[in-house]
Amino acid sequence: MILHTEIQGSGEAIVFLHTGLQTSKTDFIQQQALFSENYQVISPDLRGHGMSASMDISNFFEDSANDLNETFENLGLESVHLAGASLGALVAIYFAKRFPDKVKTLILSGVTKEKPSNWKILHQQDADMQAGLLDNAEAVSYFTELHGAGWKKFIELGQSEDWYPFNETSDLSAIACPILVIAGESSPNECCSAVEYSSAQENIHISIIPFASHLVHSEQPEAYSEVTGRFLLNI
């Protein structure tokens, strides 16, 4: 599936993969504007999001990796700097493992390495919050206009306690390119994951951002962009 993609600027390609239930036009807005001054900024709508409409998310992560590959080939992109947050970061990991030659650098945020001991509680809290969207008429209208009717399938997907691909996040050793893992200090599991990643591999760098939690790029956009920019200049 060739994804709907927004493109800004020129130069080396940097791709920003949005979080769940967001799109290329609603997420990474500050970063798109900033990095387009020196890079060609590629912002796809992931499968089932925005203008990349699809009712088939039964094999979301594998399909999304293949979607990205088809999209990059269609755009004539041989290799890219790949940045993703939360759901987008998980897709980025899948892609980097399956198409390593197409990733110059990998920038991840909002990722948990291994299943935490309190995962059942954390998952239930998230599942309840997401399910609550379906009871909110304003939210239903907003997300249906943004994504089409298929967005509700992501709510169903998130209800499963096993939806998170810890089998992929637990080990990044197959990814040889330089990696930056960013975590917000208010997300202890993600901070611990960042430290564990860097301890396991020399090609992994980390940054813990203060006054931020899961969505560092939107909670502290200037800090996220500063760290990402320095990483790209120094690798």
Side-chain angles (χ1 to χ4, degrees):
M1 175 181 181
I2 296 176
L3 303 172
H4 171 79
T5 304
E6 300 289 331
I7 302 175
Q8 304 175 49
S10 61
E12 283 191 296
I14 180 169
V15 177
F16 291 107
L17 301 182
H18 60 75
T19 60
L21 296 186
Q22 296 300 313
T23 73
S24 59
K25 292 184 177 180
T26 64
D27 205 9
F28 278 109
I29 304 304
Q30 295 92 332
Q31 290 78 22
Q32 290 175 23
L34 178 64
F35 283 90
S36 65
E37 296 176 3
N38 297 296
Y39 296 86
Q40 183 182 49
V41 174
I42 311 293
S43 304
D45 287 349
L46 294 174
R47 171 179 289 254
H49 292 79
M51 296 181 70
S52 297
S54 175
M55 297 295 287
D56 182 9
I57 62 165
S58 57
N59 196 23
F60 177 76
F61 293 112
E62 289 285 359
D63 286 343
S64 292
N66 289 324
D67 291 343
L68 279 181
N69 185 51
E70 289 184 35
T71 302
F72 293 169
E73 288 185 350
N74 183 62
L75 293 173
L77 298 173
E78 294 183 0
S79 62
V80 303
H81 301 288
L82 186 59
S86 190
L87 185 74
L90 299 178
V91 172
I93 289 172
Y94 267 76
F95 181 82
K97 286 187 175 184
R98 287 149 183 80
F99 304 97
D101 293 340
K102 298 190 175 183
V103 182
K104 294 178 181 177
T105 63
L106 184 63
I107 301 154
L108 307 170
S109 63
V111 172
T112 301
K113 183 176 183 290
E114 296 176 336
K115 183 182 290 187
S117 58
N118 61 340
W119 174 249
K120 188 170 184 176
I121 296 173
L122 294 175
H123 169 262
Q124 192 60 56
Q125 291 173 344
D126 285 342
D128 290 345
M129 179 183 67
Q130 293 169 9
L133 294 175
L134 300 177
D135 297 324
N136 184 320
E138 185 176 346
V140 169
S141 177
Y142 171 77
F143 286 116
T144 300
E145 183 176 355
L146 194 62
H147 307 294
W151 73 273
K152 295 179 182 180
K153 289 185 173 292
F154 286 96
I155 303 299
E156 297 172 8
L157 177 68
Q159 297 303 299
S160 170
E161 192 175 327
D162 298 323
W163 81 270
Y164 201 94
F166 289 111
N167 59 311
E168 296 286 339
T169 60
S170 62
D171 183 6
L172 303 184
S173 61
I175 306 174
C177 71
I179 302 172
L180 173 63
V181 180
I182 303 174
E185 67 173 355
S186 298
S187 296
N189 288 325
E190 292 172 11
C191 289
C192 290
S193 295
V195 173
E196 290 173 4
Y197 279 137
S198 66
S199 298
Q201 292 178 230
E202 292 184 357
N203 63 318
I204 297 182
H205 308 267
I206 66 171
S207 179
I208 308 299
I209 305 296
F211 310 111
S213 53
H214 182 59
L215 300 177
V216 182
H217 68 292
S218 59
E219 296 164 355
Q220 294 294 336
E222 293 178 356
Y224 177 97
S225 297
E226 174 71 15
V227 169
T228 297
R230 287 182 177 272
F231 168 71
L232 293 174
L233 287 174
N234 284 279
I235 49 90

